[in-house]
């Protein structure tokens, strides 16, 4: 009797292979088939389907289909226990029917369910069993000549392989995962070519949902391979495509599941990258969409971390416990382990080591049972930290070593980075051989610093730099100091300081809006570059990627010793090291004048390295304790006119001009002394004085770290001696014999990061003046009102401008000086037009602000731009600020050789982790020298009867027209300092002139385009 399937068309053409002795082929009882064709039935087995009637067979077949649908629904809502029960019943039915295809479908689905539950051991066993049986069944199909049956079991093979793709990805076996994905795509293409005549519709991926799932797997592989930027971009594309597919009724359920997968991956990337707000948004959406279900519980665990960071630790703990209970009820043991691990991390951070260890041990028990090797690495790392917190170094080293060995075997670079750092931290703390620790620590420090550039978003890069790169950097610099490796420490600091260039701006981008804007202003088709007005309105993501530092050279006679360590890091952590030209880290020496190069880096403490152009191979490095930097900043913030949070501009100016700040000589001198004692090491002070002794004033060039961006370096007092104990504030005068300042012995300028690409400047021509532009919607007395106040023909600044006009033409064209001030047409279009011509210098005086806090590209000049002009900043009423991103993404890629940006904290780029603001954007566009200010400038209205703002503008314009702008501006500041000492009154206060500085890159010798 043959039931279930139509009888075979052809008899077997050879004897039954031994491996098929117990096989059936889609409900064919092999012995019955043999009899059907008159073959010897002895080699063929008797199977249960022989005893079924046609009616019984059909009834069981219908039940199998219903049970499978129920199992899939339970699996979709992550009810693992229920899904297991249904698939067990489906397998019973399949065995009674002798239906290999049904059994393979059940087991392949079970592999997926086990994987989603974190039961990796059973997931692998199920998937590999499917592939083994697939081979056997295929042999049976070939034996009986029923090739169509292969098409019926192919779907199960695809499902099983996707589980193996996930497992390979988790284990860091990127090559295996990619091989399996490629195989799936090859077979999918073959099926599509064969068409519906050969394959059922569910195997032809009519709507592309199979391909969408493979794209999500691609993302996971990208993450495992370290391509975080590509993964993030791909997820955004996938989610956009899924939004379209969700409109198709027949696939909506599957698309919803894929959206959940993609959002969960994106939340993971965002959370790892420090994009907490965006990660929280993804998790909240997942929680709301799956309320009451396991997915919501898993999202709640991610949200609990934010709750703890906000100070609600009890609430966070309660959330995780409740979520864990819900996950346990659903049978999601892997997620239960994750919940226990998350709870342990919260407890560890609060210092409750004992309870934290209990949670990690609970997670370890589950992950051991599940065969979750990556999860066990995390547990070992956590337990190592618990042991280290209690000083149990032997146990800590044991766990760290096990985690490292597991990570090395897996090839998972983030895990290897993490486990190596834990091992290095433990080795350092327990006093292991410093050289051995360095061999481990220095390559991972370089890798951690370089992997920052794999993130697309600036928030993610900043968070990685602060949370991952900075701790490794701090430990490495501390170890190098202990070993006396000054050169390596200095090179490490210089490599950190080299960061600063954005890529993605080789030409003006059409990708801002995704299409060519409708333009009426585009008159030229000579090249594909868009003018400023054609940027298109962009308020979200920007096509700007921070680039890693180029190859650096230490001195003319010496390569970087760090290069060999970079090679080790590249090999050990799959570190991408793109080939770039080698860039010098030093400016050209000036004849008869010593130039000091100071670079600061924040890494827990703040680290300083300094050397001189006359002796580049002699280095000095100094750690400055975070407490000292904090004290310096506290004093500076109290005196600076930059408004504090919630403080008005007027109140900030009044505070700054108080007697204890910049309004009285004693208060200002105390600030200068505190800053000097905390930030200037004794050897630097001694060398500065020595260099100035022969009458050739040295040049001090400083690249500050973000924590020191607001320091007025020229104002700092020079100590005559150092105390042998921590000083109280009233004791600091004991270190000073007089009032000698840095300005008294040296000229001072800022030092540009070596990684900033430089274009040649514009050709020489008239000066360009953008003076106090009228901002749409703002009154002269409003927040973005006039910075110069009312000017008339007798005002010093107007007389200065009239003199300039008498010397020759200026831009924009004007008949008198008054015509250059408070214009209404000084918008981005006029700027683009003026800078397209030859020009010698650009002088901007107006408002500068940071329209978003994340990164420098969103610092902005406030021109006369209306809101309808395109740009990357959101409008402020009827006005749109002109950002550094607008400059970088437009065709304004050439600046004059000298630029002045006189506005509030226009030199504040260095205060950000990514300092590419208007200051450095101007340097990248060709400016060799940029005059700017390190804090918010009070207007002349703060001192009625005087006009210090106009004095500063005249001094800057005069210096920029001279031979030595840095020297002339420093000389002018020395006259202001002398006046302040002679008559310390508000009108002569350093608050008006001390923040002025120059970023001087004229002699750096680096004109290169990335």
């Amino acid at each position: 009797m043959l039931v279930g399937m139509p009888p075979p068309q052809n008899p077997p053409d050879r004897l039954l292979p031994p491996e098929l002795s117990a096989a059936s082929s889609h409900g064919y009882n092999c012995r019955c088939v043999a009899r059907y064709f008159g073959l010897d039935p002895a080699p063929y087995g008797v199977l249960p389907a022989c005893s079924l009637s046609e009616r019984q067979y059909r009834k069981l077949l219908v039940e199998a289909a219903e049970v499978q649908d129920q199992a899939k629904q339970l699996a979709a809502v992550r009810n693992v226990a229920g899904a297991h029960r249904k698939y067990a019943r489906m397998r019973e039915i399949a065995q009674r029917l002798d239906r290999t295809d049904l059994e393979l479908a059940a087991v392949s689905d079970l592999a997926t369910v086990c994987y989603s539950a974190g039961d990796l051991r059973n997931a692998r066993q199920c998937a590999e069993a499917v592939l083994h049986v697939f081979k056997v069944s295929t042999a049976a199909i070939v034996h009986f000549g029923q090739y169509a049956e292969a098409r019926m079991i192919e779907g199960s093979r695809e499902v099983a392989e996707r589980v193996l793709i996930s497992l390979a990805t988790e284990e860091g076996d990127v090559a295996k995962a990619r091989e399996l994905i490629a195989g799936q795509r090859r077979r999918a293409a073959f099926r599509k070519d064969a068409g519906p005549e050969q394959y059922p519709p569910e195997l032809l991926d009519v709507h592309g949902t199979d391909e969408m799932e493979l794209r999500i797997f691609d993302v996971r592989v990208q993450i495992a391979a370290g391509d975080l930027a590509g993964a993030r971009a791909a997820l955004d594309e996938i989610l956009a495509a899924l939004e379209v597919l969700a409109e198709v009724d027949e696939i909506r359920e599957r698309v919803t599941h894929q959206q959940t997968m993609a959002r969960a991956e994106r939340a993971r990337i965002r959370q790892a990258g420090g994009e907490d707000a965006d990660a929280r948004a993804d998790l909240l959406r997942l929680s709301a969409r799956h309320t009451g279900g396991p997915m919501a519980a898993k999202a709640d665990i991610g949200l609990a971390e934010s709750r703890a960071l906000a100070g609600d630790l009890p609430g966070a703990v309660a959330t995780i416990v409740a979520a864990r209970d819900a996950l346990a009820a659903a049978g999601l043991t892997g997620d239960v382990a994750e919940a226990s691990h998350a709870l342990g991390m919260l407890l560890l951070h609060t210092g409750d080591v004992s309870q934290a260890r209990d949670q990690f041990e609970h997670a370890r028990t589950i992950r051991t049972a599940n065969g979750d090797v990556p999860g066990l690495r995390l547990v070992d790392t956590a337990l190592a930290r618990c042991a280290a917190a209690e000083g149990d170094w032997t146990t800590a080293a044991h766990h760290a070593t096990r985690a490292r060995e597991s990570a090395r075997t897996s090839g998972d670079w983030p895990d290897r980075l993490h486990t190596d750092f834990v091992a290095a931290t433990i080795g350092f703390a327990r006093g292991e051989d410093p050289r051995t620790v360095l061999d481990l620590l220095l390559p991972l420090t370089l890798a951690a610093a370089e992997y920052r550039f794999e993130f697309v978003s600036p928030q993610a890069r900043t968070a990685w730099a602060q949370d991952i790169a900075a701790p490794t950097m701090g430990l490495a610099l501390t170890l190098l100091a202990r070993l006396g490796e000054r050169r390596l420490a200095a090179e490490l600091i210089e490599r950190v300081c080299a960061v600063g260039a954005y890529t993605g701006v080789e030409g003006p981008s059409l990708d801002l809006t995704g299409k060519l804007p409708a333009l009426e202003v585009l008159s030229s088709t000579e090249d594909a570059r868009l003018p400023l007005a054609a940027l298109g309105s962009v308020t979200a993501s920007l096509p700007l990627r921070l680039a890693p530092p180029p190859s650096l050279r230490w001195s003319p006679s010496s390569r970087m010793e760090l290069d060999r360590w970079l090679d080790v890091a590249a090999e050990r952590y799959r570190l991408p090291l793109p080939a770039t030209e080698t860039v010098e880290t030093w400016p050209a020496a000036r004849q008869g004048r010593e130039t000091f190069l100071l670079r600061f880096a924040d890494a827990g403490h703040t680290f300083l390295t300094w050397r001189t152009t006359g002796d580049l191979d002699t280095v000095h490095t100094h750690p400055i304790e975070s407490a000292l930097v904090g004290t310096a900043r506290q004093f500076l913030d109290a005196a600076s006119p930059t408004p504090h949070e919630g403080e008005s501009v007027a109140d900030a100016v009044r505070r700054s001009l108080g007697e204890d700040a910049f309004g009285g000589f004693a208060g200002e001198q105390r600030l200068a002394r505190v800053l000097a004692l905390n930030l200037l090491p004794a050897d630097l002070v001694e060398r500065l004085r020595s260099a100035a002794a022969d009458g050739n004033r040295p040049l001090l060039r400083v690249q500050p770290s973000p924590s020191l961006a607001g320091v007025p370096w020229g104002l700092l007092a020079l100590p005559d001696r150092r105390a042998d104990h921590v000083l109280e504030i009233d004791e600091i005068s004991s270190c000073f014999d007089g009032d000698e300042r840095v300005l008294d012995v040296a000229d001072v300028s800022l030092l540009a990061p070596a990684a900033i690409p430089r274009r040649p400047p514009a050709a020489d021509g008239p000066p360009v003046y953008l003076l106090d532009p009228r901002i749409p919607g703002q009154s002269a007395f409003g927040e973005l009102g006039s910075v110069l106040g009312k000017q008339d023909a007798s005002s010093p600044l107007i007389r200065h401008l009239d003199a300039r006009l008498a010397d020759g033409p200026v831009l924009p064209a004007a008949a008198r000086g008054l015509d250059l001030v408070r214009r209404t047409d000084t918008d981005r279009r006029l700027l683009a037009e003026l800078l397209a011509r030859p020009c010698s210098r650009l002088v901007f005086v107006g408002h500068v602000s940071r329209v978003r806090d994340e990164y420098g590209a969103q610092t902005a000049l406030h021109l006369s731009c209306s809101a309808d002009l395109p740009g990357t900043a959101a409008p402020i009423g009827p006005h749109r600020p002109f950002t550094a991103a607008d400059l970088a993404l437009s065709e304004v890629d050439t600046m004059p050789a000298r630029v002045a940006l006189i506005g509030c904290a226009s030199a504040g780029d260095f205060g950000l982790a990514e300092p590419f603001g208007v200051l450095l954007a101007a340097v990248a566009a060709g400016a060799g020298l940029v005059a700017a200010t390190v804090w918010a400038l009070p207007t002349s209205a703060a001192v009625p009867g005087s006009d210090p703002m106009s004095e500063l503008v005249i001094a800057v314009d005069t210096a920029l027209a001279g031979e030595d702008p840095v020297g002339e501006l420093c000389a002018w500041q020395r006259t202001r300092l002398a006046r302040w000492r002679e008559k310390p009154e508000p009108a002569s206060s350093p608050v008006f002139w001390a923040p002025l500085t120059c970023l001087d890159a004229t002699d750096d010798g680096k004109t290169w385009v990335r």
Side-chain angles (χ1 to χ4, degrees), residues 588-622:
R590 297 189 180 184
Q591 182 119 17
R593 187 181 194 189
E594 193 149 27
T595 299
F596 290 73
L597 310 176
L598 278 66
R599 289 186 170 98
F600 291 86
D602 293 332
H605 299 303
T606 296
F607 294 84
L608 163 66
T609 178
W610 71 269
R611 53 184 176 146
T612 70
T613 52
D615 187 10
L616 288 169
D617 290 319
T618 299
V619 296
H620 308 261
T621 58
H622 299 275

Side-chain angles (χ1 to χ4, degrees), residues 29 175 366:
N29 176 281
I366 296 173

Side-chain angles (χ1 to χ4, degrees), residues 240 293 296 327 665 833:
L327 294 167
F665 187 78
E833 178 189 333

